[in-house]
Amino acid sequence: MTSSHYDVAVIGAGPGGYVAAIRAAQLGARVAIVEKQYLGGTCLNVGCIPSKAMLHVAESLHRLDSLAELGITLPQPPTFDMRRAMAFKDKVVKRMTNGVGTLLKGNSVTIYEGLGSVEANRTVTVTKSDGSREQFSAEKVILANGSLPLMPPFPGIDGRNVINSDTCWNLTEVPESVVCVGGGVIGVELACMFQALGSRVTIVEMLPDILAPVDEEVRRLLVRILSRRGITIATGARVEAIEDDGEQKKVIARSEQGEQVFHGAYVLVAVSRRPNTSGLEQLFEQGLDHDRGRVRVNEQMETNLPGIYAIGDLVHGAGLAHVASMEGEVAAENALGHASRMDYSVVPNPIYTFPEVAFVGLTEAQAREQYGQEVRVERFPWSAIGKAVAISETDGFIKVILGKYNEILGAHIIGPDATNLISEYSVAMRGELTGDEIIETIHPHPTLSEGIREAILAAEGRPLHIPPKTPKAAARSR
């Protein structure tokens, strides 16, 4: 085995790992990165990017129903080619992953292909696909191993036509029906995708509600919209087994009402993800602190072993790609002697359903529990925004939660472009801006962003484009 020495070694080239490597290189370090499967990790290859490409395809197909109102007539019924859609998805993925490779090479990061195993003395052994090994050492190591789909141990989980969020991208035909086990973000997004592509979809969720972290008012509206669209949602149902039933699959669940059975051509298992601990066995034996595989770190992203950091899905956190990237920057900076701290106080959460959902900060229930009567909550409907009406996207609202000092405690959006719009509230919260400062900021017209300002005007009791809740709107001076 040959041996080299680096200032920083990064294990895993997902959105946390490759960003950490680039940041370390920007700071002048000699950097190596190890990736077993593919540059870009889960996010770019089987997660965020392919799912958004296929959600774009699905949403485009979904919008065909409303074209007649716009004066556009297409041959009926429209045709859809799943193979061509998957080819589009593959092209998007290839472009993004090639871009990661270009960025790493442009920053003089050495790329090792293989499984990286790490020891406490920061020796890294790379086992390649042909079984050969290469070894190097590093002053600091950043663990960015990512995660794998969690496959619960109930009977039939490995059977025919059982797919997960990694393998569903291998389909060449649209399934006639899909039973989605899991009503979290991944499950609901994929349920929306398959329904829009033409599948009959059932979501089976163990908890009392789907999308448990989402504000209750937003969740209720989304459930109504999805149900109206034909998606069946069964909550409070714990799956016990998956079986073959002729050409169909049978999902057997248990609820307060007793046994429930759901049928579909495919079963999509999307309950959660688990940390990928491959290559960390020696570190665990040598004392790396963890909780069932989730590595414990401090706010500098450093583990209990000197010089070893961990980020992304490997640690306890939000499980979001953009959070992993920020953790990667923080870890890289601290590994090279800077004083950076990871702050999770303002984390925007995007959900790519139809319509989109996004939120940041506290839900209404959390805010009322923490601040009681000091909380002011208001929502502004998309039906009162000219741009939303013009593009026929009026389902939903913007909801804002303000505190005693007019600070923004939380914001929740369901509707068009929610995942982009939430960033304005995120910046405002991070900068400790008040509602007044957003009101005093001129927003362009006609745009969807006007709703951000209008929601705060409504919370202030002086809405401009919806009737006030009281006969006379509050007259607050600037």
Side-chain angles (χ1 to χ4, degrees):
M1 291 188 289
T2 61
S3 181
S4 299
H5 186 75
Y6 296 90
D7 298 314
V8 176
V10 182
I11 311 301
Y18 81 75
V19 167
I22 291 171
R23 182 65 185 129
Q26 288 174 344
L27 294 172
R30 185 166 183 251
V31 183
I33 192 166
V34 183
E35 174 53 53
K36 176 186 177 182
Q37 195 167 8
Y38 29 47
L39 294 180
T42 294
C43 177
L44 270 66
N45 290 273
V46 291
C48 313
I49 299 303
S51 68
K52 301 317 165 280
M54 287 303 297
L55 282 163
H56 169 64
V57 172
E59 188 172 18
S60 298
L61 194 59
H62 168 69
R63 290 179 183 275
L64 293 181
D65 292 339
S66 62
L67 291 182
E69 182 184 3
L70 308 181
I72 302 171
T73 304
L74 297 176
Q76 294 295 328
T79 60
F80 173 68
D81 187 332
M82 184 71 155
R83 292 178 186 272
R84 290 185 66 181
M86 286 295 185
F88 165 74
K89 177 266 299 180
D90 290 340
K91 182 173 71 173
V92 171
V93 168
K94 184 176 181 181
R95 178 173 178 174
M96 298 301 296
T97 54
N98 285 348
V100 171
T102 300
L103 289 170
L104 290 171
K105 291 173 183 177
N107 283 277
S108 300
V109 175
T110 302
I111 301 172
Y112 289 86
E113 296 181 1
L115 173 63
S117 300
V118 184
E119 298 181 46
N121 65 1
R122 299 179 298 285
T123 297
V124 179
T125 302
V126 181
T127 305
K128 301 181 180 181
S129 57
D130 62 4
S132 63
R133 294 185 176 184
E134 195 167 1
Q135 195 172 78
F136 62 86
S137 59
E139 291 296 317
K140 303 292 174 64
V141 174
I142 299 173
L143 306 176
N145 296 46
S147 62
L148 300 168
L150 176 64
M151 303 298 282
F154 45 69
I157 192 72
D158 55 354
R160 173 185 61 87
N161 289 1
V162 178
I163 55 179
N164 59 48
S165 58
D166 282 6
T167 60
C168 66
W169 312 116
N170 300 326
L171 296 176
T172 57
E173 301 291 338
V174 178
E176 176 270 330
S177 53
V178 177
V179 178
C180 178
V181 178
V185 171
I186 296 173
V188 176
E189 285 186 355
L190 292 177
C192 283
M193 181 193 78
F194 279 114
Q195 187 277 329
L197 294 178
S199 301
R200 178 169 46 82
V201 176
T202 301
I203 298 173
V204 182
E205 169 57 47
M206 178 181 67
L207 297 176
D209 296 295
I210 64 169
L211 298 175
V214 175
D215 183 86
E216 183 179 356
E217 191 174 12
V218 173
R219 183 174 59 243
R220 285 201 310 264
L221 176 57
L222 182 63
V223 167
R224 288 201 301 271
I225 292 172
L226 298 184
S227 300
R228 190 172 68 215
R229 204 166 285 157
I231 295 176
T232 300
I233 300 173
T235 55
R238 179 188 294 271
V239 173
E240 296 182 337
I242 300 173
E243 298 178 359
D244 287 328
D245 189 1
E247 293 299 315
Q248 293 275 297
K249 302 295 292 186
K250 179 168 66 173
V251 175
I252 302 170
R254 181 73 55 180
S255 69
E256 290 183 355
Q257 291 74 39
E259 183 178 278
Q260 291 182 280
V261 177
F262 307 92
H263 288 86
Y266 278 80
V267 177
L268 169 66
V269 180
V271 292
S272 186
R273 296 185 68 87
R274 62 179 177 85
N276 177 14
T277 57
S278 299
L280 304 185
E281 295 82 3
Q282 287 179 295
L283 281 180
F284 288 153
E285 291 175 2
Q286 293 166 354
L288 181 64
D289 191 16
H290 68 99
D291 175 21
R292 292 173 294 180
R294 299 278 182 187
V295 178
R296 290 191 173 96
V297 294
N298 59 24
E299 59 184 10
Q300 284 77 39
M301 308 310 299
E302 189 170 18
T303 72
N304 65 307
L305 298 181
I308 296 180
Y309 299 77
I311 64 172
D313 288 349
L314 197 57
V315 305
H316 287 286
L320 297 166
H322 45 285
V323 173
S325 294
M326 185 65 75
E327 290 171 341
E329 292 186 52
V330 169
E333 290 168 2
N334 287 315
L336 292 166
H338 294 254
S340 297
R341 182 178 65 87
M342 189 63 200
D343 182 359
Y344 299 98
S345 61
V346 180
V347 175
N349 288 258
I351 304 175
Y352 296 87
T353 46
F354 310 152
E356 291 184 349
V357 171
F359 61 95
V360 64
L362 302 178
T363 65
E364 179 178 352
Q366 291 168 338
R368 293 199 184 282
E369 181 179 354
Q370 291 187 35
Y371 298 98
Q373 297 304 313
E374 296 177 347
V375 171
R376 283 173 293 137
V377 179
E378 194 53 85
R379 70 280 308 143
F380 191 88
W382 288 111
S383 56
I385 293 291
K387 179 63 180 292
V389 175
I391 63 174
S392 300
E393 292 284 346
T394 56
D395 278 339
F397 52 82
I398 297 177
K399 179 176 181 177
V400 67
I401 303 165
L402 301 179
K404 178 180 180 180
Y405 302 103
N406 214 25
E407 73 274 27
I408 302 168
L409 301 176
H412 306 265
I413 306 175
I414 176 170
D417 214 22
T419 58
N420 284 318
L421 293 171
I422 199 65
S423 291
E424 182 172 341
Y425 283 127
S426 300
V427 171
M429 291 175 66
R430 180 72 182 173
E432 298 184 352
L433 303 183
T434 65
D436 288 324
E437 287 166 303
I438 287 185
I439 289 173
E440 292 165 8
T441 301
I442 298 174
H443 287 67
H445 172 79
T447 64
L448 298 173
S449 67
E450 292 176 275
I452 292 172
R453 179 176 185 268
E454 292 279 358
I456 293 182
L457 282 169
E460 292 284 283
R462 51 190 181 111
L464 295 175
H465 291 91
I466 57 173
K469 288 190 172 182
T470 58
K472 185 176 181 180
R476 285 193 54 176
S477 60
R478 292 185 183 276

